[in-house]
Amino acid sequence: LGDVYKRQRLMASLRAHPLALPPVFAFMYDATWSAVYGMWDFAEALLGAACHLEPSIAAFKLSAPHARAGVRYAGGNFGRPHRDYARAEALDEAGAPRVLSVWLPLNDVSLSNGCMYVVPREHDSAYERADEGSLAPDVPLAGVRALAPHCAGTLMAWNGNVVHWGSACEREGALDPRASLALVFRRADAPADPAAPPISRAAAQAMGTAERLRLVAGALHFFSAWYEVPKPLAALLREAGVGPTARTHARGTD
């Protein structure tokens, strides 16, 4: 009962928090997970195999004023071109994808409110040999493709070693800044990071409030090299015993 009361008190504190909660807290709600399961079906159809969900879940809500001020915050875009994974982890020996990044815009995306950019394989000279997913890749400007315009709910996906990044919301798109969910699915037969084990569909469906909160807290800190977690929020999460436990990664999903 003590643990139940502690979690209830934490949720009450979060609801009364003076700062807006980061968008990743959307994963506390059933409606978000309904969308996740649809994305899961999509990933398994593309990969042709059962998949697990990486714990690096992400949600985004951009801000034009923050972008103009150069402020980095949880839920902002990852504007630096990057690969999420090295080639050896992203593709198997036959060149088939082991991991798939899936991105779902929750509102219409345009060139001005914060779309995604990718470098297709045929324009990426290092696609087959990139062995360091964290290294900033060379970006051939002539080969860059904008994933816009697209309407809300358009599922987009790319292999884990594809160069990509998310643009910021510009002044022209300030009235409807891009909001999105970003997930990575890993084939169930692919090796995984033991420090951040993926989640099976059965485990995801069985998660209650406490497990979801633990996942959200870990995800919030997963990319904290990109932004500072608000100190009052970090203190509340530590009080609940779900503070920063996942190791920090430099890769981004948006």
Side-chain angles (χ1 to χ4, degrees), residues 158-179:
W158 48 86
N159 291 349
N161 62 325
V162 167
V163 177
H164 65 284
W165 65 97
S167 61
C169 180
E170 300 174 2
R171 189 186 303 273
E172 293 78 7
L175 294 181
D176 190 28
R178 183 256 294 170

Side-chain angles (χ1 to χ4, degrees), residues 44-240:
E44 290 186 334
L46 282 184
L47 293 178
C51 293
H52 292 166
L53 175 66
E54 292 281 84
S56 53
I57 58 174
F60 302 89
K61 176 69 172 182
L62 305 191
S63 164
H66 282 68
R68 287 197 299 272
V71 175
R72 290 174 22 169
Y73 58 97
N77 68 299
F78 291 118
R80 184 183 305 167
H82 61 277
R83 307 178 195 273
D84 286 344
Y85 298 90
R87 190 263 183 223
E89 188 174 9
L91 306 174
D92 63 20
E93 293 79 4
R98 285 176 165 147
V99 292
L100 187 73
S101 295
V102 181
W103 190 75
L104 177 69
L106 302 178
N107 58 336
D108 297 347
V109 289
S110 67
L111 294 177
S112 61
N113 75 344
C115 70
M116 293 296 301
Y117 287 89
V118 298
V119 178
R121 177 176 181 171
E122 61 268 24
H123 297 289
D124 182 1
S125 60
Y127 179 87
E128 291 289 353
R129 57 182 174 79
D131 59 0
E132 287 293 341
S134 62
L135 290 180
D138 293 329
V139 177
L141 295 181
V144 173
R145 297 291 182 268
L147 300 183
H150 285 295
C151 63
T154 302
L155 276 173
M156 307 180 208
W158 48 86
N159 291 349
N161 62 325
V162 167
V163 177
H164 65 284
W165 65 97
S167 61
C169 180
E170 300 174 2
R171 189 186 303 273
E172 293 78 7
L175 294 181
D176 190 28
R178 183 256 294 170
S180 59
L181 303 177
L183 305 173
V184 175
F185 292 95
R186 178 183 295 272
R187 275 179 13 206
D189 63 351
D193 183 352
I199 303 162
S200 70
R201 189 189 290 249
Q205 292 172 330
M207 284 193 299
T209 301
E211 291 79 14
R212 287 182 181 178
L213 184 59
R214 191 172 297 112
L215 178 64
V216 165
L220 183 63
H221 291 275
F222 207 81
F223 304 108
S224 58
W226 293 85
Y227 52 73
E228 181 178 351
V229 178
K231 289 181 173 60
L233 177 57
L236 282 172
L237 294 174
R238 282 195 300 271
E239 180 184 347

Side-chain angles (χ1 to χ4, degrees), residues 3 21 33 47 58 96 133 160 219:
D3 287 343
L21 290 176
W33 283 97
L47 293 178

